[in-house]
Amino acid sequence: GQNIDQPTEMTATEGAIVQINCTYQTSGFNGLFWYQQHAGEAPTFLSYNVLDGLEEKGRFSSFLSRSKGYSYLLLKELQMKDSASYLCAVRPRGFQKLVFGTGTRLLVSP
Amino acid sequence: DAGVTQSPTHLIKTRGQQVTLRCSPISGHKSVSWYQQVLGQGPQFIFQYYEKEERGRGNFPDRFSARQFPNYSSELNVNALLLGDSALYLCASTPLLGDYEQYFGPGTRLTVT
C-alpha cells in the first residue's frame, strides 16, 4: 500500500523561501508528482520526479530521494498568489491511479 | 484549446437519490480518471477509463459506477446517495496510459442533504 505524509499547514512571508516536505511509505512507484490547488479550484500540475535529484522550474523546484522515501517542493520568492494547498502524489507501479497525500495548506502573508 | 470540462458545477441532492456527473477530456486525450475530494483531504481515486474500458477502480462501494463513451467523454454515477458522498468530484484526463501529467477539470461540488 501507499502512505503519504505532508504537514497540514505552513505559513511564510512574501519574498521568502519555503520547503514543503512529503514522506511516503510505498512498495514501489514510477514517479512522484506535485500539484497546486487553490481553494475551490482543480489541482494544477507543478512538477514530476522519476529520478533522484532536484528538478528546477522557475521559482519552483522539486527534489526526490527514493532511498530515504522523501520528496520536497521548494518555493522561492514567495508571492501572495502562492497561497494554496500543495499536494504530493505517487503513481504506484502497475497502476494508473495517482495516490495523493492530504496536502499542505500554505499561507503567504505580506 | 479547451481544457477538461465538467458538468454540472454544483449539485444538491437528498439522501437516497441518484446523481450523474459528466466529464469531457481534453481533445485527443483517451484516458479519463475520476477522483473524490472531501474538504481538507487530497483527492481519492475512484475510476480510470481508457478506450472505453475500465482500467482501474479505487476502494469505493458498488454504488459508484462509471462509463466512457466513443468520444472519450465519461459519466460517473452514484446511487443511493449518503451524506458522506458530499465532496468535490474531479475528472482528470491524460493522452494515453502511463506517467503523464493528469489535467484536472474544475470539478463538480456535490452536496447531499
Side-chain angles (χ1 to χ4, degrees):
Chain A
Q2 296 81 33
N3 194 28
I4 301 174
D5 294 312
Q6 302 179 236
T8 303
E9 198 168 285
M10 299 181 70
T11 58
T13 307
E14 206 173 6
I17 299 173
V18 71
Q19 178 174 312
I20 301 174
N21 296 328
C22 170
T23 58
Y24 57 85
Q25 297 85 41
T26 176
S27 53
F29 65 94
N30 288 333
L32 188 142
F33 296 80
W34 283 94
Y35 281 82
Q36 180 192 59
Q37 187 176 28
H38 285 98
E41 297 182 11
T44 54
F45 171 80
L46 288 178
S47 70
Y48 173 61
N49 292 70
V50 63
L51 300 175
D52 282 6
L54 188 69
E55 294 279 342
E56 297 188 74
K57 208 188 241 189
R59 294 190 299 116
F60 293 3
S61 302
S62 57
F63 173 84
L64 176 64
S65 169
R66 287 180 181 267
S67 60
K68 295 182 180 176
Y70 169 65
S71 172
Y72 67 73
L73 181 69
L74 192 71
L75 292 77
K76 304 175 188 175
E77 302 168 15
L78 280 173
Q79 302 174 11
M80 299 294 289
K81 67 178 182 180
D82 297 329
S83 293
S85 287
Y86 292 85
L87 299 161
C88 172
V90 299
R91 187 170 80 79
R93 197 165 290 135
F95 294 90
Q96 293 297 316
K97 65 181 179 182
L98 284 181
V99 177
F100 285 87
T102 55
T104 299
R105 204 173 95 175
L106 174 66
L107 180 62
V108 180
S109 58
Chain B
D1 281 347
V4 178
T5 59
Q6 292 186 244
S7 63
T9 308
H10 295 87
L11 204 51
I12 299 175
K13 292 283 191 178
T14 56
R15 278 177 296 178
Q17 285 189 313
Q18 175 264 340
V19 68
T20 298
L21 312 180
R22 295 177 177 81
C23 169
S24 292
I26 290 173
S27 177
H29 284 199
K30 298 182 178 181
S31 177
V32 168
S33 297
W34 287 95
Y35 291 82
Q36 180 196 64
Q37 187 175 25
V38 175
L39 200 61
Q41 300 292 317
Q44 297 289 314
F45 174 76
I46 310 175
F47 283 110
Q48 188 193 30
Y49 277 78
Y50 176 71
E51 291 282 16
K52 296 172 287 180
E53 290 190 7
E54 183 183 304
R55 299 303 293 259
R57 183 182 186 116
N59 189 23
F60 280 80
D62 291 343
R63 300 185 294 109
F64 288 76
S65 63
R67 56 180 174 167
Q68 187 177 33
F69 298 98
N71 66 354
Y72 304 112
S73 67
S74 178
E75 284 183 352
L76 175 71
N77 295 285
V78 187
N79 293 323
L81 285 167
L82 303 174
L83 294 179
D85 295 331
S86 295
L88 180 68
Y89 288 84
L90 295 163
C91 173
S93 76
T94 54
L96 299 168
L97 296 176
D99 247 3
Y100 295 92
E101 169 193 347
Q102 297 209 8
Y103 293 83
F104 284 88
T108 294
R109 172 73 61 189
L110 173 64
T111 302
V112 182
T113 61

